[in-house]
Amino acid sequence: MNGKMRAALAELIGTFAFFFIGAGSIVTDSYTHGAVGLLGVALAHGLILAIMVSTFGAVSGGHFNPAVTVGLWVARKVDAMTVVIYIIAQLIGGALAGFLLRAIFDPSVWMPVHLGTPALAAGVNPLTAIALEAVLTFFLLLAVLGTAVDSMAPKIGGFGIGLTVAVDILVGGPVTGAAMNPARVFGPALAAGFWEYHWVYWVGPLIGGALAGWIYPRFISETV
């Protein structure tokens, strides 16, 4: 198996694990009638991402997110072919996680939360949601660039990235679901058949990721 295929497989498996645990924590919260809570959901997402980035970072870079991949393309750290291959792998991994969760849990459990698909809270308009998702993803990409990509990055594995996702969820989770990741929404949405404001979760994260990918190497660090 060549290097790009190994990297694609790493992206698929890492994304699958990330979403199975992350979205799964939301379904389990429904199953336990709120026992997991917002903090538990944030930690589930953050810790599994930290583990997967640490596991597969040396193989694929541990993106598991189209917004991360696009942001790194803007930062000129990956080529266009890698962007296409990674995003396809990420979407497949997300879909597999969504359908496996659907197979495991009873519809009475997963339907109220649409298999953990992020959604806009009541009264939140799409433009506000785009702005929030963009800002949260901007922070995430800064963490990726500053703790994993920069040649001067501290050797902390994926934990800076995972912790950023966790704290972002604590702020944005009740508002938009704090996806920061189009594939994170696509996977459970496909399995649940829930597409409400789906486009928001592509536009916001891709804007935030691209902006961070443009700013960081030009104005923050010369060692990227």
Side-chain angles (χ1 to χ4, degrees), residues 65 67-68 71-72 136-146 208-210 212-213:
N65 182 342
V68 170
L72 294 181
L136 297 178
T137 310
F138 179 83
F139 295 153
L140 172 59
L141 260 292
L142 289 183
V144 170
L145 290 160

Side-chain angles (χ1 to χ4, degrees), residues 21-204:
I21 298 297
S25 69
I26 296 173
V27 182
T28 301
D29 187 59
S30 173
Y31 180 74
T32 59
H33 305 289
V36 177
L38 178 62
L39 180 59
V41 170
L43 288 174
H45 281 82
L47 291 175
I48 189 60
L49 180 58
I51 293 166
M52 289 299 106
V53 171
S54 299
T55 300
F56 292 118
V59 180
S60 69
H63 298 189
F64 317 134
N65 182 342
V68 170
T69 302
V70 169
L72 294 181
W73 174 70
V74 172
R76 300 176 181 175
K77 302 305 294 183
V78 297
D79 58 33
M81 181 59 70
T82 298
V83 172
V84 173
I85 293 172
Y86 276 25
I87 291 178
I88 291 171
Q90 291 155 5
L91 294 177
I92 292 172
L96 290 175
F99 280 107
L100 183 56
L101 288 170
R102 178 170 176 156
I104 291 171
F105 288 95
D106 189 86
S108 63
V109 173
W110 67 255
M111 287 184 71
V113 293
H114 309 290
L115 286 170
T117 308
L120 274 57
V124 177
N125 68 63
L127 291 179
T128 299
I130 287 171
L132 179 57
E133 287 288 326
V135 171
L136 297 178
T137 310
F138 179 83
F139 295 153
L140 172 59
L141 260 292
L142 289 183
V144 170
L145 290 160
T147 69
V149 177
D150 198 318
S151 62
M152 299 297 289
K155 305 302 181 183
I156 58 174
F159 286 90
I161 300 166
L163 287 173
T164 303
V165 166
V167 297
D168 275 1
I169 290 173
L170 291 176
V171 173
V175 184
T176 65
M180 301 163 276
N181 185 332
R184 167 66 182 82
V185 186
F186 174 83
L190 181 65
F194 180 75
W195 300 99
E196 186 173 287
Y197 294 116
H198 184 76
W199 59 274
V200 165
Y201 296 100
W202 283 86
V203 175

